[in-house]
Amino acid sequence: MPTLTAAGIEPLFRLLGRYMPLEEADRRALATLETGPVCHAEARSDIAHEGENPTVIRLLISGWACRYKDLPDGRRQIVGFFLPGDFCDLNIYILSQLDHSIGALTAVRYYEIQPHQFQQVVDERPHLLRALLWHEKVSAGIQREWLLSIGQRSPLERLGHLFVELYYRLKAVGLATGTGFDLPITQNHLAEANGLSLVHMNRTLQEMRREGLIELSERQLRIVDLDRLKRVTMFNDNYLHFNR
């Protein structure tokens, strides 16, 4: 049975290491996880559907995915982004059915890990277990911050706040250079994540460009002045709990 490759372990190990120091033995423990072959999903396809019985833990190793909810009339709200190194709901297998869907925003690759085998590994590595629990708390903190953005921040503030958050999350797994990163998703995805119409999203992006806050070209985003954007959006990174 195949196990996690170095490419699969590295983003996850980098991410967990931002919360607390991990040992080489923790990396080796992750490397024992049996995964089966690497799974692939095309952009705009679903990885899991609301109502399904979840039986595996999914670890994203490349591409961007999302957690979303939709209404019977077709309206959709993206309620979370999954980046390389993220588990798509670590403990979801304890539920009898999914209460949301997971979709691929770009072409993605991911591993499927059996829960019982995962549980055995983390039971033997208390530091690894603590780091994973920390990551789950951060995921809950991100949800609270998104709710605050939707309820109280202006469109520019909520979009700018999201860009800073994505920068820090991508930096944690080695996918940001300077203050820039790949932004392979569409304006429609950004609109669905920020509770805005597509027209309003486009206007907000143009305003951010005019204000000299960002540069966006060919799906490459650069934050021109990170400190200024953090002030404008009232960004406080305490909910990400990096290097605490």
Side-chain angles (χ1 to χ4, degrees):
M1 176 71 72
T3 57
L4 278 180
T5 64
I9 292 173
E10 190 58 34
L12 174 61
F13 200 75
R14 277 176 178 253
L15 180 61
L16 298 180
R18 295 296 297 268
Y19 306 130
M20 59 181 297
L22 295 177
E23 302 171 358
E24 184 58 33
D26 296 313
R27 182 191 292 269
R28 291 197 297 270
L30 289 171
T32 68
L33 288 169
E34 297 177 356
T35 64
V38 176
C39 299
H40 299 260
E42 297 301 317
R44 299 179 298 280
S45 67
D46 277 345
I47 298 170
H49 298 275
E50 184 171 355
E52 287 183 356
N53 177 23
T55 59
V56 296
I57 299 169
R58 296 179 177 89
L59 173 63
L60 194 68
I61 58 175
S62 70
W64 287 39
C66 72
R67 180 191 293 114
Y68 74 89
K69 298 278 291 184
D70 53 14
L71 295 173
D73 63 6
R75 286 176 291 168
R76 183 172 85 156
Q77 179 74 35
I78 291 176
V79 296
F81 287 129
F82 295 118
L83 307 176
D86 283 338
F87 287 103
C88 301
D89 294 323
L90 184 58
N91 297 311
I92 197 66
Y93 61 88
I94 67 176
L95 302 177
S96 60
Q97 63 176 346
L98 281 171
D99 57 15
H100 60 272
S101 298
I102 300 172
L105 300 176
T106 69
V108 300
R109 296 185 303 135
Y110 60 95
Y111 285 119
E112 292 186 343
I113 303 167
Q114 293 300 317
H116 70 276
Q117 213 247 344
F118 181 84
Q119 190 65 53
Q120 180 180 348
V121 167
V122 298
D123 283 348
E124 296 170 354
R125 302 299 308 169
H127 277 80
L128 187 58
L129 174 59
R130 187 178 179 190
L132 288 164
L133 291 173
W134 202 324
H135 183 47
E136 287 296 282
K137 290 297 185 183
V138 169
S139 296
I142 290 172
Q143 291 284 281
R144 289 189 290 272
E145 202 68 31
W146 279 38
L147 181 59
L148 175 61
S149 284
I150 294 292
Q152 297 298 326
R153 291 189 174 101
S154 70
L156 187 147
E157 289 168 350
R158 71 180 75 162
L159 182 59
H161 195 280
L162 176 61
F163 285 157
V164 177
E165 177 188 292
L166 290 172
Y167 163 71
Y168 279 119
R169 290 177 61 190
L170 289 165
K171 182 181 178 183
V173 294
L175 294 177
T177 303
T179 56
F181 54 89
D182 290 341
L183 188 69
I185 57 178
T186 67
Q187 287 191 31
N188 197 54
H189 296 143
L190 291 171
E192 290 177 334
N194 284 280
L196 299 172
S197 70
L198 187 56
V199 171
H200 206 161
M201 173 55 59
N202 184 268
R203 289 174 180 168
T204 304
L205 282 170
Q206 294 303 324
E207 182 181 359
M208 294 183 75
R209 286 188 173 109
R210 286 195 304 271
E211 293 293 326
L213 295 170
I214 63 165
E215 294 176 353
L216 180 60
S217 177
E218 297 181 350
R219 299 198 174 184
Q220 296 282 321
L221 184 136
R222 187 174 77 87
I223 299 173
V224 176
D225 186 332
L226 180 61
D227 289 338
R228 181 181 169 220
L229 186 56
K230 289 170 69 173
R231 288 193 302 272
V232 168
T233 62
M234 294 170 282
F235 187 91
N236 184 340
D237 69 354
N238 64 349
Y239 71 103
L240 296 175
H241 295 283
F242 289 147
N243 295 328
R244 292 286 188 252

